[in-house]
Amino acid sequence: MVNILSMNPGSYTGSYKVIGGELCFDFANTVSWRNRKSPHEWLDSFENLSIWCQLVGILDEFEAKHLVHTLTNTRKTGSGTLSELYSLREAIFNIFTAVADKKKPSEKVISHLNAFFKEKIEKQKILYNGSEFHVAWRKNLPPYEKLVHHIYDSVIYVMTQIDLTRVKKCRSCEWLFHDISRNRSRRWCVMEDCGNRNKVNSFNKRQRGLKS
């Protein structure tokens, strides 16, 4: 029997989907309907954090269990860990939302991101394997450090390697994604969700207009 991982939504009726195309976007998207009256926080527990790490391929099952165990047994530090992840996530969301909106990202938010990574990220090592150089992190990073390093790598990759005009946000829920469509026409996180919801809303508005 295949075990399909999914985060516990609590009383929320929606579901989390890995749709960003880049890890840092999927991290930013761990809040549903962020700017609405009742946003939903997906990383509301150590268990959901560990499941998210598995969904996006950062940690394997053993590492995810170790992460939960470590955070649970250092409850005070663990709670602080979630808080600092929320802060990191909102900085990433704000920066790339500005990019998607073709606006200049806040210098204050960029400074916050720099400060976070300066504290958390160890220096990379330059290695030579006999024929070529490559850059690598220390092996066997603890799960939480591994999580942060992967997010850092993704942020740097997006900032320096992809066409920033392809950084988009869903017109409805505002989730971020890397638009790799040929004609840069993607508008929705998932067509079956926000795309169809928009079609239904537009249809209902037209119907109300005809009746008035």
Side-chain angles (χ1 to χ4, degrees):
M1 181 177 180
V2 178
N3 180 26
I4 301 176
L5 286 169
S6 61
M7 289 188 283
N8 182 356
S11 60
Y12 181 65
T13 57
S15 61
Y16 175 81
K17 299 178 179 64
V18 180
I19 59 86
E22 305 295 344
L23 174 64
C24 62
F25 294 163
D26 288 319
F27 179 54
N29 295 343
T30 53
V31 176
S32 289
W33 305 106
R34 178 183 263 102
N35 295 317
R36 300 294 178 88
K37 185 177 180 180
S38 300
H40 178 70
E41 172 61 68
W42 285 103
L43 304 183
D44 59 351
S45 66
F46 303 148
E47 289 75 15
N48 269 355
L49 173 62
S50 71
I51 292 171
W52 180 81
C53 288
Q54 292 178 82
L55 286 172
V56 297
I58 294 176
L59 304 179
D60 60 27
E61 184 178 1
F62 175 80
E63 292 171 319
K65 288 181 179 178
H66 180 59
L67 176 66
V68 173
H69 176 77
T70 301
L71 295 180
T72 300
N73 285 280
T74 53
R75 175 66 63 171
K76 184 176 180 180
T77 304
S79 298
T81 296
L82 289 180
S83 295
E84 72 178 19
L85 283 178
Y86 298 158
S87 178
L88 172 62
R89 180 187 62 196
E90 295 314 297
I92 291 171
F93 175 79
N94 288 333
I95 288 171
F96 289 117
T97 292
V99 171
D101 290 338
K102 297 179 173 54
K103 297 179 180 178
K104 182 180 178 181
S106 163
E107 291 292 339
K108 182 178 180 180
V109 176
I110 292 175
S111 294
H112 174 74
L113 195 67
N114 278 324
F116 180 92
F117 285 137
K118 182 179 181 180
E119 178 185 352
K120 299 295 181 182
I121 299 297
E122 66 173 33
K123 293 181 179 179
Q124 294 171 311
K125 296 180 180 180
I126 299 174
L127 303 175
Y128 184 69
N129 64 8
S131 60
E132 60 184 7
F133 291 97
H134 67 281
V135 178
W137 301 110
R138 171 170 57 89
K139 292 183 178 180
N140 302 317
L141 287 170
Y144 180 68
E145 291 183 32
K146 188 175 181 181
L147 159 63
V148 173
H149 279 63
H150 273 278
I151 293 172
Y152 171 82
D153 280 347
S154 178
V155 168
I156 297 304
Y157 173 77
V158 171
M159 287 180 168
T160 63
Q161 300 297 316
I162 77 168
D163 179 353
L164 293 180
T165 64
R166 289 186 176 272
V167 174
K168 303 283 186 67
K169 69 175 182 180
C170 177
R171 294 187 178 186
S172 181
C173 71
E174 299 188 340
W175 273 11
L176 296 168
F177 57 85
H178 181 186
D179 181 5
I180 59 173
S181 63
R182 180 175 297 180
N183 59 355
R184 304 168 186 253
S185 61
R186 182 177 170 186
R187 297 185 295 169
W188 313 107
C189 57
V190 181
M191 186 62 200
E192 292 75 15
D193 284 351
C194 285
N196 285 346
R197 186 181 298 111
N198 180 75
K199 286 184 177 180
V200 170
N201 289 340
S202 296
F203 174 79
N204 289 338
K205 286 181 180 178
R206 288 195 299 271
Q207 292 298 106
R208 287 195 296 268
L210 292 174
K211 293 177 180 179
S212 62

